[in-house]
Amino acid sequence: MNPDTTPAPGSEPAKLSHVRADGSAHMVDVSEKAETSREATAEAWVHTTEEVMALVASSGMPKGDALAVARIAGIMGAKKTSELIPLCHPLPISKVTVDFELDAVDRVRILATVKTRGVTGVEMEALTAVSTAALALYDMIKAVDKHASITDMRVLSKSGGKSGSWDIAPQQHPNPEGEIRA
């Protein structure tokens, strides 16, 4: 058992919300939850070569503007999350932002922020946005770098709902206007 999930002596183990008593999976009933404003930000990294980074930064990839394609893919991914992840609820997404930070050497940081007003959070939508954007970026660069990789996908922050807000990053979204930085 994972030490982080081991119950304290005398306490009951945490119950998984998507698992019924008989062990079968189900979609959680959220009909009685309060509607609140909710937001989540996630990140992922695409690693490539310095030469490919120059092509990405100058929109010089053989298939076209890799970042523009990846941004649209990320937005589309967020909107399709409930169709891709079996137990996710469809949500009225009010905003999706997908941004890129190009480091000086060999990687692209992808950031996605998703907002809604609803009864459940948008962490999965933010994760789907960055993963879809990363996959699209990988697809755009694989012809010139067969060793590119996608790493370190995670939720950086969330707000709203019963569990409140948390943030693991020093800044929620250091590039809120979507500028491409080289």
Side-chain angles (χ1 to χ4, degrees):
M1 193 174 234
N2 181 337
D4 295 334
T5 59
T6 304
S11 68
E12 300 224 3
K15 299 217 182 331
L16 299 174
S17 62
H18 288 73
V19 179
R20 295 189 289 202
D22 68 0
S24 62
H26 74 109
M27 188 175 202
V28 174
D29 180 1
V30 294
S31 60
E32 300 300 319
K33 290 177 72 176
E35 186 175 285
T36 63
S37 294
R38 296 161 184 266
E39 180 176 322
T41 299
E43 73 176 350
W45 293 83
V46 174
H47 300 261
T48 185
T49 66
E50 191 172 349
E51 295 77 23
V52 173
M53 288 296 292
L55 292 171
V56 169
S58 67
S59 301
M61 295 298 296
K63 288 185 172 184
D65 186 344
L67 298 179
V69 170
R71 177 175 283 118
I72 296 301
I75 293 167
M76 291 174 64
K79 292 166 53 175
K80 297 285 189 178
T81 300
S82 67
E83 295 174 36
L84 298 169
I85 310 299
L87 301 177
C88 284
H89 294 82
L91 297 175
I93 293 174
S94 55
K95 183 171 181 159
V96 179
T97 305
V98 178
D99 296 315
F100 306 94
E101 294 177 1
L102 284 63
D103 80 5
V105 183
D106 63 355
R107 62 189 183 156
V108 178
R109 181 183 189 205
I110 303 168
L111 290 156
T113 298
V114 180
K115 294 181 180 182
T116 191
R117 180 150 181 84
V119 296
T120 190
V122 287
E123 296 92 334
M124 293 306 299
E125 287 73 11
L127 286 167
T128 303
V130 295
S131 62
T132 307
L135 289 167
L137 183 56
Y138 177 90
D139 182 52
M140 295 293 287
I141 67 175
K142 71 181 185 210
V144 293
D145 180 9
K146 298 193 183 335
H147 302 289
S149 63
I150 299 168
T151 65
D152 302 314
M153 184 176 60
R154 65 182 179 163
V155 175
L156 296 175
S157 63
K158 62 101 34 199
S159 64
K162 186 173 90 174
S163 63
S165 300
W166 59 265
D167 186 354
I168 64 170
Q171 295 177 305
Q172 275 196 17
H173 206 295
N175 190 11
E177 300 305 315
E179 297 171 14
I180 297 171
R181 301 181 202 177

